[in-house]
């Protein structure tokens, strides 16, 4: 069934006739068997389902979620998109995702509000400046727009930021990445869900996976709170919960789950044109199209599955934002929240097959996985459909941890998601 198009004509027609719009995605009975079962209805699970159905004609697919679409990190992130990473593997991978994002509104017929407003990573000391130069060179080699700029240029981009030498952490320069920006995360999740649903995928919310059946070293099915499902392929897209799901299949992942918090202020007139990140101050700031300022930091320094926000975080992040932008002192914070992040030792994802036949992982997305959803979904769909590992994800396999081939991204991913 084809999704009804969202267009001005349809808007007028629905207004005149008073006819309801069809549901964005539908509810279905659980089938006893699916060709592919995807666990997790975040951007990764939904994108994988969408590309399986639309690019490879595999539509007998279930996406299972113990909660609701986008209820994990995909509906809690601060929606920063960029590709200015440190390793050639990382830069090429995130660049592919950014390029898909550029055409995503048109492809999904759903406005994902991708605003390429530029991304600044500040350097407050010589070693950060050195890393920025390193990143800029790697970025340029892969064809990604990225350069180191000085305080004068930073001041032109963000006039009210304190770039003087009289601050506690003077700004020596920044890595400027013009194609970076922000997106509307819910729209991305809903757009993929709608398109996957109309392509024939079944999205089952409130359906928790409680076990994975493995016999003879291969996947045979999953157990859920709504009954068993037979399948020969399970894709683990559960981010913060991914090591628990992998353990059900007998696979151990080198992942620790940490909470990550963020906060948003009351809306004010739009004045901040770029995303600003400071690794030294452990903070980043952007402004939504509605005018709210969004603040974030690095993960909480302890492993936990708790999604409670804390006063310590708010005090710290507010103090650091004011060091950069003292004029925000009177702005009020509206709300804060937390999500879970699946941290790997090298700050790169784990995508690919596992020692259990039919059990595929797309995990280890830490604090930076929302931007990766489209490219990861595209690559995982190809892997599942063809059995071949796409070149783009070859370096992110699970075996790299035992073979000593880490893809170290910490210098580009610890704070600037
Ligand atoms: C505060 C915050 C800010 C962030 N900012 C950014 C950013 O600016 N840019 C960026 O790129 N990334 C950012 N991230 C990271 C990003 O949100 C995640 O990496 C990404 O959303 C992971 O997507 P996913 O689809 O893999 O998993 P999720 O969206 O987390 O989805 C996993 C799903 O699995 C489901 N699940 C778990 N266990 C089970 C089970 N047993 N059975 C069935 N379902 C189950 C959960 O309910 C959940 O819906 C941020 C994260 C947070 C928390």
């Amino acid at each position: 069934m084809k999704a009804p198009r969202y267009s001005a004509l349809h808007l007028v027609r629905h207004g005149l006739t008073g006819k309801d719009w069809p549901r964005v995605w539908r509810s279905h009975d659980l089938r006893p068997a699916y060709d592919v079962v995807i666990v997790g209805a975040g951007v990764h699970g939904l994108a994988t389902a969408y590309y399986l159905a639309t690019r490879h004609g595999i539509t007998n697919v279930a996406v299972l979620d113990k909660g609701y679409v986008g209820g994990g990190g995909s509906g809690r992130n601060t929606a920063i998109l960029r590709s200015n990473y440190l390793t050639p593997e990382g830069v090429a991978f995130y660049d592919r995702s950014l390029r898909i994002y550029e055409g995503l509104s048109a492809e999904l017929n759903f406005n994902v509000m991708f605003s390429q407003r530029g991304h600044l990573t500040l350097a407050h000391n010589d070693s950060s400046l050195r890393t920025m130069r390193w990143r800029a060179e790697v970025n340029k080699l892969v064809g990604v727009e990225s350069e180191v700029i000085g305080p004068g240029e930073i001041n032109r981009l963000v006039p009210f930021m304190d770039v003087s030498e009289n601050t506690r952490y003077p700004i020596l320069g920044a890595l400027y990445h013009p194609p970076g920006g922000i997106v509307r995360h819910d729209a991305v999740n809903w757009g993929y869900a709608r398109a996957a649903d109309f392509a024939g995928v079944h999205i089952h919310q409130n359906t928790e996976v409680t076990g994975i059946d493995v016999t003879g070293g291969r996947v045979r099915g999953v157990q859920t709170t709504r009954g068993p499902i037979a399948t020969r392929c399970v894709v683990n897209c559960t981010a913060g919960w991914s090591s628990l799901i992998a353990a059900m299949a007998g696979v151990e992942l080198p992942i620790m789950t940490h909470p990550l918090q963020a906060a948003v202020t009351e809306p004010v007139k739009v004045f901040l044109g770029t995303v600003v990140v400071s690794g030294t101050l452990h903070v980043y700031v952007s402004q939504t199209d509605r005018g709210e300022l969004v603040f974030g930091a690095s993960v909480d320094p302890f492993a936990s599955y708790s999604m409670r926000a804390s006063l310590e975080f708010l005090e710290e992040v507010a103090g650091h934002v004011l060091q950069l932008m003292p004029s925000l002192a009177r702005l009020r914070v509206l709300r804060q929240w937390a999500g879970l992040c699946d941290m790997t030792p090298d700050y790169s994802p784990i995508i690919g097959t596992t020692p259990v036949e039919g059990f595929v992982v797309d995990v280890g997305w830490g604090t930076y996985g929302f931007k990766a959803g489209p490219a990861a979904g595209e690559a995982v769909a190809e892997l599942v459909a063809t059995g071949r590992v796409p070149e783009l994800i070859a370096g992110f396999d699970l075996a790299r941890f035992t073979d000593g081939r880490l893809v170290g991204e910490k210098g580009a991913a610890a704070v600037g998601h």
Side-chain angles (χ1 to χ4, degrees):
M1 186 176 168
K2 222 168 154 327
R5 276 200 74 72
Y6 291 150
S7 67
L9 187 68
H10 277 85
L11 193 63
V12 172
R13 191 181 292 159
H14 276 270
L16 291 177
T17 59
K19 222 174 99 192
D20 272 349
W21 290 91
R23 293 188 74 87
V24 175
W25 60 88
R26 296 155 295 179
S27 299
H28 302 272
D29 291 334
L30 210 60
R31 283 187 193 145
Y34 286 95
D35 294 338
V36 182
V37 169
I38 297 169
V39 194
V43 67
H44 285 263
L46 295 166
T48 302
Y50 167 75
Y51 293 116
L52 271 174
T54 55
R55 300 255 174 99
H56 303 281
I58 301 177
T59 56
N60 187 23
V61 175
V63 182
L64 311 180
D65 201 291
K66 66 177 179 176
Y68 55 95
V69 164
S74 297
R76 295 166 187 267
N77 65 84
T78 44
I80 296 171
L81 308 188
R82 64 185 178 95
S83 57
N84 58 350
Y85 280 76
L86 184 62
T87 64
E89 296 91 330
V91 180
F93 175 82
Y94 291 105
D95 183 47
R96 171 67 195 148
S97 223
L98 212 68
R99 286 178 198 274
I100 302 178
Y101 266 117
E102 285 171 346
L104 201 59
S105 295
E107 174 163 1
L108 299 179
N109 179 225
F110 206 109
N111 186 0
V112 300
M113 297 172 68
F114 182 19
S115 162
Q116 293 186 280
R117 55 185 58 193
H119 184 281
L120 274 180
T121 315
L122 305 177
H124 301 268
N125 53 49
D126 288 342
S127 68
S128 309
L129 207 52
R130 185 180 148 272
T131 311
M132 300 307 157
R133 292 212 175 93
W134 176 3
R135 279 169 67 182
E137 292 311 314
V138 176
N139 291 179
K140 282 184 220 162
L141 276 176
V142 183
V144 165
E145 216 184 326
S146 194
E147 61 176 324
V148 174
I149 59 173
E153 185 71 1
I154 298 170
N155 190 235
R156 199 186 59 74
L157 289 165
V158 193
F160 53 88
M161 192 153 65
D162 191 350
V163 292
S164 72
E165 288 176 6
N166 307 324
T167 59
R168 190 160 166 210
Y169 297 101
I171 297 168
L172 305 186
L175 183 66
Y176 181 44
H177 176 49
I182 53 174
V183 72
R184 173 90 164 89
H185 53 7
D186 293 326
V188 175
N189 301 329
W190 299 338
Y192 269 125
R194 172 175 181 264
D197 173 85
F198 279 99
V201 168
H202 283 187
I203 298 170
H204 296 291
Q205 303 181 102
N206 299 315
T207 309
E208 181 168 355
V209 171
T210 52
I212 299 179
D213 307 328
V214 178
T215 45
R218 92 154 349 275
V219 164
R220 310 280 168 181
V222 296
Q223 301 294 326
T224 79
T225 44
R226 289 171 59 199
I229 301 172
T231 186
R232 290 172 72 80
C233 181
V234 172
V235 186
N236 180 0
C237 294
T238 52
W241 299 267
S242 56
S243 47
L244 304 175
I245 299 292
M248 291 178 191
V251 173
E252 196 181 340
L253 295 177
I255 282 179
M256 296 292 281
T257 290
H258 287 249
L260 176 65
Q261 304 191 42
V264 67
T265 69
E266 60 188 330
V268 288
K269 191 173 169 183
V270 173
F271 66 93
L272 177 58
T274 59
V275 179
V276 178
V277 183
S278 166
T280 304
L281 291 173
H282 287 260
V283 75
Y284 60 89
V285 190
S286 70
Q287 188 171 24
T288 68
D289 292 323
R290 263 202 306 243
E292 301 144 329
L293 288 174
V294 180
F295 304 145
S298 35
V299 288
D300 287 350
F302 46 83
S304 169
Y305 289 96
S306 161
M307 286 198 275
R308 292 189 68 170
S310 69
L311 186 60
E312 288 88 342
F313 161 79
L314 196 57
E315 280 181 325
E316 206 162 297
V317 86
H320 289 161
V321 169
L322 293 185
Q323 275 174 359
L324 289 178
M325 302 173 192
S327 54
L328 303 187
R330 296 175 65 115
L331 217 55
R332 278 169 298 200
V333 169
L334 272 194
R335 59 182 183 279
Q336 61 178 124
W337 66 94
L340 298 182
C341 294
D342 41 339
M343 308 303 297
T344 59
D346 61 359
Y347 284 61
S348 284
I350 309 173
I351 322 176
T353 54
T354 65
V356 173
E357 210 183 321
F359 186 66
V360 175
V361 291
D362 171 18
V363 300
W365 288 111
T367 65
Y368 28 82
F370 193 74
K371 69 180 71 58
E378 182 184 60
V380 172
E382 187 180 335
L383 170 67
V384 168
T386 65
R388 286 188 303 274
V389 179
E391 186 55 38
L392 202 62
I393 58 164
F396 300 131
D397 59 334
L398 177 59
R400 77 177 185 273
F401 295 101
T402 40
D403 298 353
R405 291 180 281 107
L406 301 193
V407 188
E409 278 292 0
K410 190 169 183 185
V415 178
H417 314 323

